[in-house]
Amino acid sequence: MVCSSTQGPTVEFEHRDVVLLCSNDYLGLADHPALRQSLAHASAEHGPGAAASRLISGTHEIHRKAERRLATLTRMPAALLFSSGYAANVGVLSSLPREGDVIFSDALNHASIIDGCRLSKARVIVYPHGDVDALSRSLQRERSKASAAYVVTDALFSMDGDLAPLVALRELATRFDAALLVDEAHSVGVLGPDGAGACASVGVVPDLLVGTLGKAMGLWGAFVASTPAVLDLLENTARSFVFSTATSPAASATCVTACDLVRDADTARAQLLRNAARLREGLRSRGWDVPASDAQIVPVVLGPAELTMQISAALLELGFFVQGIRPPTVAEGTSRLRLAPMATHDDDVIDSTLAAFASVEHMRPG
Ligand SMILES: *Cc1c(COP(=O)(O)O)cnc(C)c1O
């Protein structure tokens, strides 16, 4: 499966023009002319490679600048760049929570959080997805047995499209003296004032915020935002940070441009969310199983994996690229098409997508 370009509402995929509905490039920045130009200029000015890990000689002024801008974007005190969101979660969870601590983790958290928990010496308690009452009971029972506690959640769950109950989680974490870590991979740039994220959209300040540059920001790489003291600790103990080459200075300079584009993308954000609402409403009214949400990810749950791939293939035949999502990414029997409209789509694109779904309706499970 090879995509040759992501520009505009259609992309060339296996030599055909198709509507792209399964990327994380929500705002259309991955192929934005300003980012292309920025990366080219940044490469000339700052060089492509950092030449060392951050603690040896790989910290460039531009890394610090990008970190200040990411902190401003997410309205957090400070930020630290990581090479990817995967590395950020694994680094945070394997270094901050120590033996004798406890991590409370949502059952549907991203694989990188699960792997970080596996690497941690802390005890891990998985609570049912989004279940504040179950988490509260668990905290009541288990919190006092541990030294430090962490509550860890995705902000916007990427395969279900729903938002974590952030206000209630913040309240519980504070009440039980636990740190709240929120992974905003799918919400930075999309939700909140100036794209600050889901936490900012509901006035929640997490203790740690993980964001990736590879989704709405159109680049690659990631960051952790927190207080300078916490980041100082991470900088010296998160093994995925310490023992990894610093992110590209050119990419970090481009990240500064991406921060500007994201901050100024109110119109794109409104269009994106309008597209998602139109798509979700249209599909639900035609009887497709689409969970309710106000965010930009629109999953169509079908069940059997093979059928999901068949409907995906039929849609591709019609010119709509909607990848099927199967186990182990989602639970057995809940295979789905995960639709992610883009800000570069308009009503016509959404309506033609709905028409394509109508023409494969006969394939839908009873
Ligand atoms: C994509 C994603 C990551 C990983 O980010 P990368 O920068 O792609 O490694 C982490 N957490 C969540 C919730 C994600 O969706």
Side-chain angles (χ1 to χ4, degrees):
M1 298 273 206
V2 182
C3 253
S4 56
S5 155
T6 58
Q7 201 150 38
T10 65
V11 299
E12 194 185 320
F13 176 67
E14 294 183 340
H15 311 297
R16 306 178 34 199
D17 249 10
V18 295
V19 174
L20 180 62
L21 285 156
C22 54
S23 80
N24 298 318
D25 184 19
Y26 304 118
L27 300 177
L29 295 189
D31 205 20
H32 193 286
L35 275 199
R36 282 177 169 245
Q37 201 176 43
S38 174
L39 185 58
H41 283 168
S43 187
E45 190 179 341
H46 299 279
S53 64
R54 288 283 296 267
L55 295 185
I56 304 295
S57 64
T59 295
H60 295 222
E61 192 41 49
I62 193 65
H63 290 133
R64 294 300 186 200
K65 184 172 181 187
E67 288 168 344
R68 287 193 296 273
R69 295 302 306 278
L70 288 164
T72 303
L73 175 70
T74 51
R75 305 182 174 201
M76 294 289 286
L80 184 67
L81 287 164
F82 276 74
S83 55
S84 71
Y86 187 93
N89 278 327
V90 164
V92 169
L93 290 166
S94 64
S95 65
L96 296 187
R98 311 183 71 88
E99 196 160 354
D101 295 346
V102 59
I103 302 170
F104 297 89
S105 177
D106 187 288
L108 292 189
N109 276 343
H110 189 261
S112 55
I113 292 178
I114 296 172
D115 291 1
C117 287
R118 284 177 180 157
L119 275 173
S120 172
K121 294 200 172 69
R123 186 172 168 219
V124 178
I125 297 175
V126 176
Y127 63 89
H129 174 52
D131 191 336
V132 173
D133 292 337
L135 173 62
S136 174
R137 284 194 298 275
S138 196
L139 278 160
Q140 212 128 34
R141 215 167 35 235
E142 308 295 341
R143 173 64 187 95
S144 61
K145 300 176 193 163
S147 320
Y150 296 81
V151 173
V152 183
T153 186
D154 285 15
L156 171 54
F157 288 86
S158 69
M159 294 303 149
D160 292 70
D162 60 328
L163 286 158
L166 293 166
V167 172
L169 294 180
R170 176 68 275 178
E171 195 271 318
L172 272 184
T174 303
R175 174 141 55 97
F176 286 93
D177 188 24
L180 177 65
L181 188 166
V182 180
D183 182 343
E184 295 252 27
H186 292 277
S187 34
V188 163
V190 173
L191 302 176
D194 298 338
C199 286
S201 78
V202 290
V204 160
V205 181
D207 298 289
L208 291 135
L209 182 156
V210 172
T212 170
L213 311 181
K215 286 162 185 162
M217 296 190 69
L219 291 165
W220 75 98
F223 63 96
V224 179
S226 187
T227 60
V230 168
L231 295 181
D232 193 49
L233 189 61
L234 267 185
E235 212 172 317
N236 290 285
T237 58
R239 294 168 67 84
S240 61
F241 179 87
V242 176
F243 298 106
S244 199
T245 300
T247 51
S248 155
S252 297
T254 313
C255 167
V256 172
T257 307
C259 285
D260 288 340
L261 290 174
V262 159
R263 180 198 56 209
D264 299 336
D266 276 349
T267 309
R269 272 186 285 277
Q271 180 68 44
L272 172 66
L273 294 176
R274 194 161 54 236
N275 289 343
R278 191 178 182 89
L279 192 55
R280 186 178 285 111
E281 254 335 286
L283 288 166
R284 289 177 78 132
S285 72
R286 297 291 304 233
W288 296 91
D289 179 7
V290 181
S293 169
D294 293 323
Q296 80 280 15
I297 299 170
V298 184
V300 181
V301 182
L302 294 164
E306 202 183 311
L307 178 79
T308 301
M309 300 319 281
Q310 285 164 355
I311 296 183
S312 170
L315 289 168
L316 185 60
E317 209 41 53
L318 296 167
F320 298 84
F321 187 9
V322 187
Q323 188 60 268
I325 310 287
R326 295 173 281 185
T329 305
V330 293
E332 202 65 52
T334 70
S335 289
R336 64 198 64 187
L337 301 171
R338 174 194 181 275
L339 283 97
M342 297 171 65
T344 50
H345 297 158
D346 57 15
D347 284 0
D348 287 348
V349 172
I350 301 303
D351 290 346
S352 63
T353 305
L354 291 169
F357 269 86
S359 72
V360 299
E361 224 166 72
H362 61 280
M363 299 174 74
R364 189 163 75 192

